[in-house]
Amino acid sequence: MSKVVKDLQRREIFFCITRDLENHQLFAGASDGRVYRVIPECEPPVFLGMDGHRGYVTGVICARGCVISAAFDGALIWWDPVECKPLRKVPAHARWIRGLALSPDESWFASVGDDMVCRIWDTESGLLRRELTGHAPRTPQHFPSMLFAVAIAADGQQLATADKVGKINVWEVSSGAVLRSIQAETMYTWDPKQRIHSIGGVRSLCFSPDGRQLLAGGMGQVGNIDHLEGKSRMEQYDLERGDLIHAFEGELKGLVEKLVWHPQGQVIGMGGDHGGFVQIYDLSSRAIVQQEKTAAHIHDFVSNDAVSRYYAACHGRIAILE
Amino acid sequence: MTGIRSISRRRFLGTGALGSAAALTTRGLEQVLAAEAHRQGKHVILLWLAGGASQLETWDPKPGRPTGGPFQAISTNVPGIQISELMPRMARHLQHTAIIRSLNTKDGDHGGASRLMHLGRRDEPTVKFPDLGAIIARELGRTDSQVPDYVSFYTATEGRGTSLGQSGFLGARYNAMSLTQEQLPANLRRLEQISEIDHRARGELRDTLSDQFMRGRESAAAASQREAYQRVPGLMASEKLFDPSGEPLSMRALYGETLFGQQTLVARRLVEAGVPFVKVSRAWWDSHGQNFETHLELVSELDQVLDALLTDLQQRGLLERTLVITLSEFGRTPAINASLGRDHFATVWSCSLSGCGILGGSVYGKSDDDGNDVAESPVAAGELFATIFQAMGIDHRKEYALGARPVPLTNPGSEPIKAVLA
C-alpha cells in the first residue's frame, strides 16, 4: 500500500489534507499560509491557492459544505469550497494551532493549540461551544509545552488530546470532564546532559471504532535530539483501565504523524524523519506487519471511500499511495 | 616562548599605561588617563548560543517567505526594527541593542567555526591566539582584583570541547575559570582538614620556593603560575558570588528557573563584583530536525534571560558599563529540510550587541529577501571583534609583543563597525 501512483511535487510543505466528498477534490494546508484546492486527476494537476492565513496551515476539514482551516496565526477560516473564498474568520487561539478534528455528525469540531486549550466549535455558526483546559503550559523543565494532537471517538462522546510531554487527556464532550489521563512518557525525550532541551511528544491519536481503546503515535526515546532519530512508536491503550496494551516500535525512525483505523481491523500509520514511512499495525498479533519508506516525510493523509487509495500531505509534495 | 608584553604602535596603550607615561610621544598624559578611566569598571557578558541559533527565528525573521518558517515578525520599541515573535520581551529592549544581520564567516563546521568566533581569527600553526575572554581579562582585569577575570559556564556536554576558553600566548594567567559540572567552582573551598594558619603557611612556603626558582630566570610560564597563585585568596573569597540562592526569589524568577537563567543571574552577580568577562554558554541549538520546536523552546528561554539581564543591569546602573553579546558559531540555513530542520549556515547570519558602547536601536547589514546571501555590508569575525573591543574602549589595533613579533588584537584590516558604536 505504499506504492506511489502519483507524486505531485511542489515547493511548499503540506501539513494537512482532507477530501471534499461532494466535489471529489482535496484541500491541503501548506507552509506558505495557503489552503490549496487540489484536483490531482487533472493534467496538469490543479493547485489553486486560497489566501487568508498568516503562517503554516496545520489543520483542514470539510464539513457541511464548507472547508475549515486552522493555522499558526491562531485563526480558523471557513471557506466556500467551490468559489474558494473565505466565508468567516475567527480568532481561535492565543498561540499556534496544531490541529483540528471533526465530529462524526459534522456538527462540531475541535481545535488544539499551544495555548494548551482544546476548543470545541459549532461548525455552522462558528461559535465557541466549550473550552477544555488540562494540559500544563510548561514542561517539567520549565519550557513552553505544545498541544499537538486531537481526536474524536466514533460516537462523538469522547475526545482525546495529547501534548509535548506525552500527557493524553480523554474528555467527556458533553460535560468537559476529564475521563482519563494517560502519560505516554516514552514519546517525550528530555536530554538533561548533552543538549539540555527536548524533542518528541504525542503527534497522533486515534480511537478504536468502539471507543474502548486509544492509539497514540510519536517517536521513542532519542539519543541525539538534533535529529528525528528515535524509533517510530505507536502505543495502544485500554481506556476502561487506562492500561498500556502494547507499544509498537517500528524499525523506521521518526514521528508517527497520523493514525487511522482501517475498516478491516488493521491500523495504518504514516510519518517520517528526513524521509517518510508507511506502517501497518496488526493489533491482534501485536505486530507491525508492513513498514516501508516513502520519498518524503508524511504529515497527514486521507483515504478514498473504498479505503484503497491514500492522499498524503508531505514535505514538498502531495503523494497518492495505493 | 619569551615574555608577552603589551606594546602598541604608539607605545602607550599597553601595560596599564601609567608606568610608561614618560615614553609618551604622540598623545598627552591626560588622554591616556582618560582612556584608562574609561575602560575601568567595564564588563562583557557573552551569551554563547552553542550549536548555531537560527537568525530567522531570532534577529532576522523573514515571515511570508518560503524560507521564513512558521513564526511571524513583531515590531519592537524602536520603529522600523522587527524581530521574531518568539522574542516579545526582548522587543522592549531594542533601544539598548544593535543587531548585526550580515555576518559572513564562511565556516559551517562546528569545530572550526566555534574557534573562529571565539578568537576572531584563526590560530596559526605555531601561534595560539587568546580568545575574546582572555583579551578582555587582560585589558580590563586588575592585578589587585579579588575576583576572577574570566569566568566561563558550559554545562551541556555537546560542543563543549570546541567552546573552551583559550588564553593562547597570553598565558595561563588569563585562562577562564571554567565551570562545567557544577554551578559552584570546583575545589575553591579550603579543605576542612587544613587550618587557616596552615593554609596561609603553605602559601608563604610556595611563594618562597617560587621566588627562589625565579631568581635568575625569565619564564613567562613560571611568572604566570606565580601570579595565578597570588590570586588564590581572592578567588576563594568569591565563592559566594556563584550561589544565586542569596538573591530574592523575585529576582531568580525574573531570570527563569532554567539552568541558563540561573547561570546568567550569576553572571550579573559576577560583573557587579568586578569580573570583566563572563561567558554563559547555552547549548545546544543544532536543530537539524524540528528546528521550530527547538527554537520555540530555546528562543523563549533566551528571550526571558535577555529581558531579565538587560532590565537588571539597567536598574543597577550597570548596563552602560556592560556589553551583552549574543553569538553563535554560525546561523542556520534558510532552506527548511524534510525533518523541518535547518542546517549549518555561515553565509549570512546575525548577532546582537547591547549596552556598553553600543548605539542602541541600530541594525547593521542586510540579508537578501530569502536570507540566502548578504545583501548589504558583509561582516567578518575580525570586524565583529574590532567592534566589541572598540565598544569597550580598547583600541583594536593595540599590539602584544610575541617575542619580536607584534600581534594586534584583531588581524590587520579588521575595522570596527562605526555604525553600531555609540
Side-chain angles (χ1 to χ4, degrees), chain A residues 11 54-56 72 96 142-144 146 148 193-198 203 226-228 273-274 297 315, chain B residues 66 69-72 85 156-158 257 282-284 286 288-290 293-294 296-297 301 336-339:
Chain A
R11 66 182 299 182
R54 292 170 69 232
Y56 287 5
F72 262 41
W96 309 286
H142 313 292
F143 292 90
M146 304 159 205
F148 285 129
K193 187 177 179 184
Q194 286 181 277
R195 293 167 174 83
I196 314 186
H197 68 94
S198 72
R203 305 303 179 116
D226 294 346
H227 303 269
L228 292 176
D273 52 359
H274 218 63
H297 187 119
H315 191 95
Chain B
F71 303 120
Q72 299 299 310
E85 68 171 318
T157 57
E158 191 67 20
E257 298 178 77
R282 199 331 172 184
W284 180 249
D286 199 18
H288 294 287
Q290 301 290 301
E293 292 169 18
T294 297
L296 178 50
E297 281 192 325
E301 180 190 42
I336 299 164
N337 69 34
S339 297

Side-chain angles (χ1 to χ4, degrees), chain A:
Chain A
M1 78 144 273
S2 60
K3 180 186 173 191
V4 176
V5 296
K6 203 156 195 174
D7 189 12
L8 313 179
Q9 296 195 22
R10 301 278 298 183
R11 66 182 299 182
E12 298 84 10
I13 307 165
F14 293 97
F15 294 102
C16 51
I17 190 165
T18 191
R19 280 180 68 224
D20 175 4
L21 296 175
E22 293 176 13
N23 299 296
H24 304 289
Q25 54 194 350
L26 301 170
F27 289 89
S31 55
D32 61 358
R34 292 191 175 101
V35 176
Y36 282 90
R37 176 186 177 193
V38 184
I39 306 176
E41 285 76 19
C42 290
E43 274 310 326
V46 171
F47 277 82
L48 181 61
M50 304 190 292
D51 291 309
H53 283 295
R54 292 170 69 232
Y56 287 5
V57 180
T58 48
V60 61
I61 54 177
C62 281
R64 305 218 169 168
C66 284
V67 171
I68 304 168
S69 61
F72 262 41
D73 59 6
L76 298 171
I77 297 180
W78 277 251
W79 305 87
D80 180 327
V82 178
E83 297 294 325
C84 292
K85 290 181 178 173
L87 301 171
R88 177 192 296 129
K89 187 171 185 176
V90 174
H93 288 263
R95 290 171 76 84
W96 309 286
I97 302 180
R98 298 283 182 174
L100 299 176
L102 181 63
S103 69
D105 67 359
E106 299 189 359
S107 66
W108 58 274
F109 68 95
S111 60
V112 287
D114 282 359
D115 52 7
M116 306 309 284
V117 181
C118 175
R119 292 191 169 87
I120 294 176
W121 305 88
D122 187 275
T123 302
E124 292 192 348
S125 70
L127 295 175
L128 178 65
R129 285 189 182 183
R130 187 179 290 283
E131 290 185 336
L132 307 175
T133 56
H135 290 272
R138 318 258 325 160
T139 67
Q141 294 80 23
H142 313 292
F143 292 90
S145 190
M146 304 159 205
L147 191 54
F148 285 129
V150 58
I152 299 169
D155 63 2
Q157 301 300 307
Q158 295 182 94
L159 177 151
T161 53
D163 66 19
K164 170 109 188 204
V165 299
K167 183 177 182 180
I168 302 168
N169 280 334
V170 181
W171 311 80
E172 183 180 61
V173 174
S174 59
S175 67
V178 176
L179 299 173
R180 185 165 296 285
S181 282
I182 297 165
Q183 194 64 43
E185 66 271 0
T186 307
M187 296 195 205
Y188 171 65
T189 300
W190 165 253
D191 177 350
K193 187 177 179 184
Q194 286 181 277
R195 293 167 174 83
I196 314 186
H197 68 94
S198 72
I199 198 165
V202 175
R203 305 303 179 116
S204 48
L205 292 166
C206 176
F207 283 93
S208 61
D210 63 6
R212 295 166 70 175
Q213 293 183 20
L214 182 69
L215 309 177
M219 175 174 65
Q221 287 288 295
V222 183
N224 176 357
I225 62 171
D226 294 346
H227 303 269
L228 292 176
E229 69 161 39
K231 287 186 174 177
S232 55
R233 188 175 178 90
M234 192 274 275
E235 297 183 357
Q236 178 188 10
Y237 288 95
D238 180 324
L239 286 181
E240 290 180 359
R241 297 197 304 272
D243 294 342
L244 176 67
I245 299 171
H246 188 68
F248 296 77
E249 192 170 82
E251 291 173 3
L252 301 175
K253 293 178 178 178
L255 297 161
V256 177
E257 301 271 20
K258 178 77 177 280
L259 289 164
V260 168
W261 206 293
H262 194 276
Q264 292 179 354
Q266 293 180 321
V267 172
I268 299 163
M270 297 190 195
D273 52 359
H274 218 63
F277 61 69
V278 176
Q279 295 177 329
I280 299 177
Y281 309 89
D282 184 81
L283 302 185
S284 56
S285 65
R286 296 185 175 180
I288 304 177
V289 293
Q290 184 181 341
Q291 43 189 332
E292 293 182 25
K293 290 184 178 179
T294 60
H297 187 119
I298 298 172
H299 291 280
D300 191 13
F301 68 92
V302 63
S303 67
N304 64 0
D305 293 339
V307 202
S308 58
R309 174 174 276 205
Y310 298 88
Y311 304 91
C314 307
H315 191 95
R317 68 191 71 197
I318 299 287
I320 302 174
L321 308 167
E322 286 182 350

